[in-house]
Amino acid sequence: MVRSRSSSSSGCARYLRPSYYLKRPARLGLAVAAFVFVSFAVWDRQNLLREHDDELYKVNEELQILKDQLQRLRQSVTSSEGIIQDDGKSINDKFVSNDPIDDERREKVKEAMIHAWNSYEKYAWGQDELQPQSMNGVNSFGGLGATLVDSLDTLYIMGLKDQFQKAREWVANSLDFNKNYEASVFETTIRVVGGLLSAYDLSGDSMFLEKARDIADRLLPAWNTPTGIPYNRINLAHGNPHNFGWAGGDSILADSGTEQIEFIALSQRTGDLKYQQKVEGVISHFQKTFPSDGLLSIYINPNSGISSRSQITFGAMGDSFYEYLLKAWVLGNRTESVKHYREMWETSMKGLQSLIRKSTPSSFTYICEKNGDYMSDKMDELACFVPGMLALGSSSYDPENANKILSLAEELAWTCYNFYDTTPTKLAGENYFFREGQDMHVGTSWNILRPETVESLMYLWRITGNKTYKEWGWNIFQAFEKNSRIDSGYVGLKDVTTGVKDNMMQSFFLAETLKYLYLLFSPPSLISLDEWVFNTEAHPLKIVARHGEGNNTTRDVSTPPHRPNKFFGRKQGGS
């Protein structure tokens, strides 16, 4: 038995010896053919498996996108976040009986929006902004329909179904970005990219997302600098990014650090990381040399990353950089991966406190501007976004510092309200100067329908529950109605002391001022601060959970998916 097994083993072994085949050419050829056939079969199967894995990956990607869209559709049916119903109303209307005074005031603001929109539709449809007194449109931003795009989410939130649908059709059929126009990267991002993304988040209509991606792709070359700090202008048709001549070749801090919210959100919604990578590269560069007081010059060389001048302000050209440090952290769900944004913001808030002064005799708290070692007792109305920003960021401090930050927010809000209340028209000038023993007086005396103060009042009302902020907001709204409303729209004032009117209805009046006033008189559940973050043009973007954190409906975009083995400031006024 052993012999038989040994013999059998010996017989099998000979087929493994090369000499066996060398003596038998026919069998050698057969063996080679068999080897080739088996090798090809194995290789082909591996290719098929690899192709199958690739296809499976693509299917999973598409499935995730469909899941995201389905989630938004469900939200559009089930949430109370201003969703438009077939009767043209919003289901948030079911909350209106909570406070009859709020209900009445909210309807007055909505009527103001209808008046502004109807005037734009009648005299300037498809153009950037309306000139109400001459009753014509003007393309302040290259003919991108700035007022229309800026107004989409306001129309949606207010439940103005017909107006929203007509605007949607214009965006789908007439909005063309292939224009030989030198666009501001900042203004185009906050108004157009932000407006389109917000309309997408609210409605779930993918057309808005496709349009947002189109314009963002045209802006991306602006970030192709040695430091990643973007140039601030770019031709929408031909590229060729560059900076404004008046800035001496430098990039502006606010213009370069106020695209993070929109571009990160775009990456989250498309799954394409390139947008997020561009804008986060800017923050990474600033983080390397971030000063101990967190205050950056408003002029930065995009090639060296060095500031050639030492002007520091929370007003024009500096403001929204600090705002976006906080809001990028909020958009990122306040998680470890975005912790550095919060840390940078808290450092900057320590620097902010070094700029705080009080007037005499009335002790108005205000924010100075700084140039080198020189402190200027000047504060822009633009800086009145700060109280709202401080209120939004206060809750994540320890109790002692939270109270300190919130108290500072309330003190600054009182000052900003008095920017309005101390003028004959009850509308604020563009900036104010503070003098010893004289409190404050108007510097630049125009008012261009800016939103910053009512923005802060909305945040403070929601965070403190103090109804005083509603009263202040109502007083400001009434001043706009008295001084700025005309038969063909709303206009700014050339001088808040005389009430002489200008001839421009700024797009941000519809995008921001009226939206924040509407939300001031609405339940806090309408565009909840727990679920949405506003960009600096008041476009709400949905906060989505990152991968592995809670009930996420959007894939983590912080890491690649797994595969098998003149002065512009916070908002430029159209001129």
Side-chain angles (χ1 to χ4, degrees):
M1 193 169 180
V2 174
R3 248 190 330 267
S4 173
R5 185 179 300 163
S6 178
S7 175
S8 175
S9 298
S10 175
C12 291
R14 62 180 176 173
Y15 295 111
L16 301 178
R17 300 192 188 106
S19 59
Y20 175 81
Y21 293 100
L22 291 175
K23 296 175 181 178
R24 298 170 179 81
R27 294 191 179 185
L28 175 61
L30 186 61
V32 170
F35 175 78
V36 171
F37 176 78
V38 171
S39 297
F40 178 79
V42 170
W43 174 82
D44 187 56
R45 179 173 177 78
Q46 289 177 334
N47 269 355
L48 287 173
L49 286 172
R50 192 176 297 110
E51 290 172 3
H52 171 74
D53 287 340
D54 287 342
E55 288 298 319
L56 185 61
Y57 169 75
K58 291 176 182 177
V59 169
N60 285 333
E61 286 265 281
E62 293 170 0
L63 180 61
Q64 185 61 56
I65 292 172
L66 290 173
K67 284 181 178 178
D68 294 345
Q69 292 175 348
L70 179 60
Q71 179 68 17
R72 289 190 175 91
L73 287 172
R74 284 174 178 165
Q75 291 169 352
S76 71
V77 174
T78 60
S79 79
S80 61
E81 305 275 338
I83 304 306
I84 297 175
Q85 305 297 293
D86 289 339
D87 61 1
K89 297 182 179 180
S90 300
I91 61 175
N92 63 70
D93 287 346
K94 68 184 179 182
F95 297 110
V96 298
S97 61
N98 289 344
D99 187 327
I101 295 176
D102 278 354
D103 298 346
E104 181 181 355
R105 290 176 175 180
R106 184 169 59 252
E107 285 305 305
K108 290 288 188 181
V109 175
K110 182 175 179 178
E111 191 278 327
M113 177 65 186
I114 293 171
H115 176 63
W117 178 259
N118 286 346
S119 299
Y120 169 76
E121 185 177 347
K122 182 175 181 179
Y123 300 114
W125 181 251
Q127 297 185 70
D128 286 329
E129 291 178 307
L130 167 65
Q131 293 183 317
Q133 299 217 62
S134 55
M135 292 180 285
N136 63 277
V138 59
N139 284 326
S140 318
F141 301 99
L144 303 181
T147 293
L148 190 150
V149 176
D150 245 353
S151 301
L152 287 167
D153 49 14
T154 307
L155 296 171
Y156 198 95
I157 290 166
M158 292 185 181
L160 298 173
K161 176 183 178 180
D162 293 340
Q163 293 90 331
F164 176 83
Q165 188 59 34
K166 184 173 181 180
R168 186 261 177 216
E169 293 307 312
W170 185 89
V171 172
N173 300 317
S174 301
L175 181 55
D176 178 17
F177 298 126
N178 190 34
K179 295 181 181 293
N180 185 21
Y181 171 69
E182 302 293 323
S184 162
V185 175
F186 166 72
E187 297 289 352
T188 307
T189 296
I190 66 172
R191 296 174 192 249
V192 182
V193 179
L196 293 169
L197 285 175
S198 183
Y200 170 67
D201 278 0
L202 287 163
S203 70
D205 188 336
S206 60
M207 181 276 296
F208 293 119
L209 182 60
E210 292 165 6
K211 289 286 186 178
R213 191 167 192 168
D214 181 3
I215 185 63
D217 285 340
R218 296 172 185 274
L219 299 176
L220 275 182
W223 278 265
N224 294 339
T225 68
T227 61
I229 295 171
Y231 293 113
N232 298 152
R233 297 189 78 184
I234 192 168
N235 188 290
L236 294 180
H238 307 299
N240 186 30
H242 56 285
N243 278 329
F244 297 100
W246 55 262
D250 286 340
S251 295
I252 302 303
L253 178 62
D255 288 27
S256 303
T258 311
E259 291 88 11
Q260 283 67 30
I261 301 300
E262 297 83 0
F263 277 62
I264 291 171
L266 184 58
S267 280
Q268 287 177 323
R269 284 143 185 78
T270 63
D272 191 336
L273 284 171
K274 65 184 179 184
Y275 309 106
Q276 177 174 329
Q277 289 168 343
K278 288 290 188 183
V279 296
E280 292 205 315
V282 179
I283 302 302
S284 296
H285 177 84
F286 288 144
Q287 193 177 12
K288 294 174 185 175
T289 56
F290 208 56
S292 59
D293 63 1
L295 302 178
L296 297 181
S297 167
I298 58 176
Y299 294 103
I300 303 167
N301 187 300
N303 296 310
S304 66
I306 297 173
S307 300
S308 57
R309 290 166 275 184
S310 56
Q311 291 177 248
I312 292 169
T313 178
F314 277 79
M317 301 193 289
D319 45 17
S320 49
F321 166 74
Y322 304 102
E323 175 189 3
Y324 270 35
L325 289 179
L326 175 66
K327 289 184 174 179
W329 174 73
V330 174
L331 183 69
N333 274 302
R334 302 169 166 86
T335 55
E336 190 68 25
S337 61
V338 289
K339 183 181 178 182
H340 60 290
Y341 282 103
R342 173 76 193 197
E343 292 172 341
M344 292 172 72
W345 181 77
E346 289 192 9
T347 300
S348 297
M349 292 310 97
K350 291 177 182 177
L352 167 69
Q353 292 175 65
S354 72
L355 303 178
I356 297 296
R357 299 288 185 274
K358 286 185 179 291
S359 72
T360 56
S362 301
S363 291
F364 288 120
T365 301
Y366 62 96
I367 307 170
C368 290
E369 297 183 350
K370 187 176 182 181
N371 192 346
D373 294 327
Y374 174 71
M375 299 280 279
S376 172
D377 295 294
K378 168 182 171 286
M379 180 175 170
D380 289 347
E381 195 281 337
L382 281 164
C384 286
F385 83 97
V386 171
M389 175 186 69
L390 290 172
L392 180 63
S394 64
S395 62
S396 292
Y397 282 99
D398 62 77
E400 181 180 352
N401 282 309
N403 288 333
K404 182 179 179 181
I405 289 293
L406 191 56
S407 293
L408 177 57
E410 293 180 308
E411 291 173 14
L412 287 169
W414 171 239
T415 301
C416 290
Y417 175 64
N418 276 274
F419 284 175
Y420 285 80
D421 198 50
T422 55
T423 70
T425 58
K426 304 298 182 182
L427 290 178
E430 182 74 357
N431 52 53
Y432 284 75
F433 289 90
F434 295 81
R435 296 286 184 268
E436 185 72 25
Q438 300 177 29
D439 283 327
M440 60 174 129
H441 65 89
V442 177
T444 304
S445 60
W446 68 61
N447 178 289
I448 57 172
L449 310 171
R450 288 199 185 276
E452 286 74 25
T453 298
V454 293
E455 171 187 353
S456 284
L457 297 181
M458 187 277 292
Y459 278 106
L460 281 163
W461 147 243
R462 289 197 172 189
I463 288 165
T464 69
N466 187 341
K467 292 187 177 181
T468 298
Y469 300 119
K470 290 187 175 188
E471 295 305 314
W472 294 355
W474 179 244
N475 292 341
I476 291 171
F477 174 71
Q478 289 182 303
F480 279 128
E481 288 293 287
K482 180 179 179 180
N483 295 282
S484 294
R485 181 167 176 153
I486 63 175
D487 290 342
S488 50
Y490 286 83
V491 295
L493 301 184
K494 293 181 179 180
D495 190 329
V496 296
T497 61
T498 65
V500 175
K501 295 173 172 58
D502 69 16
N503 187 29
M504 182 66 70
M505 186 171 77
Q506 305 284 346
S507 80
F508 52 66
F509 181 66
L510 291 80
E512 301 186 72
T513 310
L514 293 178
K515 183 188 289 130
Y516 282 131
L517 284 165
Y518 185 83
L519 293 174
L520 180 62
F521 304 119
S522 298
S525 59
L526 180 60
I527 313 297
S528 167
L529 297 180
D530 293 327
E531 300 176 8
W532 299 82
V533 61
F534 290 93
N535 85 335
T536 198
E537 191 77 3
H539 296 307
L541 300 173
K542 191 74 172 175
I543 300 170
V544 295
R546 299 173 81 92
H547 183 65
E549 297 168 357
N551 298 320
N552 60 301
T553 59
T554 300
R555 179 171 53 76
D556 180 11
V557 298
S558 63
T559 56
H562 173 70
R563 297 202 65 166
N565 269 343
K566 105 170 198 171
F567 287 49
F568 288 146
R570 195 154 172 267
K571 272 84 62 176
Q572 171 193 347
S575 57

